[in-house]
Amino acid sequence: MVAALAASLALTACGSDDDAGKASGPDAGSSATPGDAQGPEGAGTDAAALEGTWVGLTDGKNVTLSITAGKVALVADQAVCQGDVKDMGEVMLALKCTGGADDRTMGAIESNDGKKLVLSWDGGVKDTLSKADPGRLPTDLPSLPSDLPSLPEMPEAPELPEVPSAS
């Protein structure tokens, strides 16, 4: 959490129009690109390993994360967020969300084995997501309850009178 907070402060401290091209440090404000290698603490979390769509439930609500070419889109609960994969000494997700949502603006990758991605967000939220297979429907969806009541029979529609033609 401290690392996420520090990363958040680093992002907000850098970046006004007057500072263009004057960022300090080798990685300041840089976006990670596919293939960027990360240290051993990244747990296999280079930008390329994040590419694709990830889905899951957090607190019973759907979370969908999509990462393509270093760009991130996230839909969670009532929030829609977008941003970038950032290289800040470790790979982070830096997002801006609509509607004032702020619990998923800076995300740290806790683990990623290529099938399961665990993210810790600066707002205290932790998402555990599964990689979605392109072109295949998920198989781990809940099934419908077996004790659903049957629907009532539909009444027959009354016959309508014939309408004379307007010729």
Side-chain angles (χ1 to χ4, degrees):
M1 173 119 150
V2 174
L5 183 57
S8 177
L9 288 173
L11 262 186
T12 57
C14 297
S16 71
D17 290 337
D18 297 333
D19 293 335
K22 297 181 185 175
S24 62
D27 294 328
S30 66
S31 290
T33 55
D36 284 353
Q38 298 301 309
E41 295 207 6
T45 56
D46 67 4
L50 297 172
E51 293 277 321
T53 300
W54 302 84
V55 294
L57 294 174
T58 299
D59 297 328
K61 296 180 181 172
N62 289 319
V63 177
T64 302
L65 174 76
S66 183
I67 302 174
T68 304
K71 297 294 182 188
V72 181
L74 176 111
V75 178
D77 195 15
Q78 301 279 326
V80 176
C81 310
Q82 60 185 353
D84 298 296
V85 176
K86 295 283 186 179
D87 181 355
M88 306 178 87
E90 64 179 287
V91 175
M92 304 285 287
L93 304 182
L95 306 179
K96 290 186 180 180
C97 302
T98 59
D102 62 359
D103 56 348
R104 288 182 175 93
T105 55
M106 182 61 67
I109 291 86
E110 281 192 16
S111 66
N112 176 12
D113 65 5
K115 293 182 181 181
K116 185 167 88 171
L117 173 64
V118 180
L119 295 164
S120 288
W121 296 95
D122 58 348
V125 177
K126 185 175 189 175
D127 292 323
T128 301
L129 307 173
S130 298
K131 183 95 177 229
D133 289 330
R136 289 189 357 133
L137 294 173
T139 58
D140 57 347
L141 296 175
S143 59
L144 291 173
S146 59
D147 59 347
L148 289 174
S150 58
L151 294 173
E153 291 294 320
M154 294 290 297
E156 284 191 40
E159 286 196 36
L160 297 175
E162 196 169 312
V163 179
S165 65
S167 46

